[in-house]
């Protein structure tokens, strides 16, 4: 039987982030992907021009339809945006026993806000305790904690521990928005902090990196990898996808990473 992962996220009409990026990632890593769409966006590589939320009853129905028929081995949660939607998703997955990767999507690459401030409390209350792994970038971590973004390794780990205290089983502090020649992510678990470093690549084509990394980790967990193994494989795989991103040359803004860099010739 194939390993299966479910993504609960928004749709990106440009294909670089959200549901589209998640399903591409699942497929590229040999995992069957199911999807629940929380919002429809009019989006390309330069802007998000419209967001249309899907009714809560339809979101609940999508989740129920998948989980009652298909054996899902991991869930990735992305764009939510509304307190009622956050509570709806938490309730719909309450009986799911597998790992949950929560990517707290807040701002699109174009700068458009996707998670308003009034949704922060709901995210922490309903989904942080449900998360096997929380994957904030430096700006998201700071906003969740009501403080300034940090860049130093020690400070990243400290913020990761503050987030860990809010309920998730582990936190991956993503260093892509940092500075320096290396990009380092820190996996913060109750008993250790583990770094994952790679050379920083000079490219504007990084649309969907957050969605892609979290779904790559979910794919690894769905396939039976340990948390450390799943993060290590996802980190290395995404680095190659970013390195190959310029080969795609999609759009006129922040283009997508190359999800199929290991497949296309």
């Amino acid at each position: 039987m194939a390993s299966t992962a479910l993504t609960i996220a928004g749709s990106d009409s440009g294909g670089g982030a959200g549901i589209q990026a998640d399903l591409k990632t699942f497929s590229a890593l040999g995992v069957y992907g199911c999807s629940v769409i929380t919002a429809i966006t009019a989006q390309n590589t330069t802007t998000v021009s419209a967001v249309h939320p899907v009714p809560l009853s339809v979101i609940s129905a999508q989740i129920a339809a998948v989980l009652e028929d298909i054996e899902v081995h991991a869930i990735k949660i992305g764009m939510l945006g509304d307190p009622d939607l956050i509570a709806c998703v938490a309730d719909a997955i309450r009986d799911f026993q597998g790992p949950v990767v929560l990517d707290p999507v807040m701002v699109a690459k174009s700068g458009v806000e996707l998670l308003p401030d009034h949704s922060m409390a709901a995210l922490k209350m309903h989904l942080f305790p449900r998360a096997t792994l929380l994957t904030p970038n430096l700006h998201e971590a700071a906003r969740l904690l009501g403080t300034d973004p940090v860049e130093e390794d020690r400070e990243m780990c400290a913020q990761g521990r503050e987030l860990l205290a809010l309920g998730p089983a582990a936190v991956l502090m993503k260093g892509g928005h940092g500075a320096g020649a290396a990009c380092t992510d820190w996996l913060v678990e109750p008993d250790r902090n583990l770094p994952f470093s790679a050379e920083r690549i000079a490219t504007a084509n990084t649309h969907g990196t957050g969605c892609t990394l979290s779904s790559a980790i979910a794919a690894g967990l769905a396939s039976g990898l340990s948390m450390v193994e799943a993060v290590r494989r996802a980190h290395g795989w995404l680095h190659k996808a970013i390195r190959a991103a310029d080969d795609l040359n999609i759009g006129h803004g922040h283009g997508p990473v190359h999800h199929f860099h290991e497949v296309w010739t």
Side-chain angles (χ1 to χ4, degrees):
M1 181 179 66
S3 297
T4 302
L6 168 64
T7 169
I8 303 172
S11 170
D12 173 5
S13 54
I19 287 286
Q20 288 80 357
D22 296 342
L23 292 178
K24 290 174 185 178
T25 300
F26 293 162
S27 295
L29 294 174
V31 171
Y32 181 84
C34 304
S35 64
V36 169
I37 297 176
T38 59
I40 299 168
T41 69
Q43 184 174 172
N44 54 35
T45 64
T46 65
T47 189
V48 179
S49 56
V51 178
H52 177 70
V54 173
L56 298 184
S57 60
V58 178
I59 293 171
S60 295
Q62 290 179 81
I63 296 173
V66 173
L67 295 182
E68 72 186 11
D69 177 54
I70 299 171
E71 183 176 354
V72 172
H73 301 105
I75 292 177
K76 176 267 172 86
I77 301 175
M79 176 184 169
L80 296 179
D82 177 84
D84 292 337
L85 171 54
I86 292 167
C88 169
V89 169
D91 183 63
I93 66 169
R94 66 185 182 279
D95 295 326
F96 178 70
Q97 299 299 311
V100 175
V101 178
L102 175 60
D103 185 23
V105 179
M106 296 183 184
V107 179
K109 189 70 69 179
S110 61
V112 174
E113 183 179 80
L114 300 175
L115 184 73
D117 287 338
H118 67 269
S119 297
M120 297 290 178
L123 195 68
K124 295 174 186 176
M125 177 186 300
H126 296 293
L127 286 176
F128 272 34
R130 191 67 186 80
T132 308
L133 179 69
L134 178 70
T135 63
N137 62 37
L138 300 182
H139 296 287
E140 291 164 346
R143 193 169 164 202
L144 286 166
L145 294 171
T147 186
D148 295 325
V150 297
E151 291 186 1
E152 297 296 328
D153 291 344
R154 179 180 58 81
E155 296 173 320
M156 288 175 63
C157 292
Q159 285 198 350
R161 297 225 154 263
E162 290 186 63
L163 292 170
L164 196 67
L166 297 178
V171 176
L172 184 67
M173 294 288 292
K174 299 182 297 190
H177 289 83
C183 174
T184 301
D185 298 342
W186 281 92
L187 177 62
V188 179
E189 297 180 301
D191 59 345
R192 59 184 174 181
N193 302 328
L194 292 176
F196 298 85
S197 294
E199 173 193 6
R200 191 176 299 278
I201 299 169
T203 177
N205 296 319
T206 55
H207 181 51
T209 49
C211 303
T212 297
L213 180 61
S214 58
S215 55
I217 296 169
L221 296 175
S223 300
L225 299 183
S226 69
M227 179 62 72
V228 172
E229 292 170 333
V231 172
R232 180 178 292 114
R233 185 184 74 163
H235 189 270
W237 178 83
L238 176 60
H239 187 257
K240 295 176 183 177
I242 296 172
R243 184 176 295 281
D246 290 355
D247 295 339
L248 287 178
N249 193 29
I250 301 296
H252 297 86
H254 293 285
V257 303
H258 196 335
H259 296 90
F260 296 112
H261 60 277
E262 294 180 343
V263 181
W264 292 7
T265 58

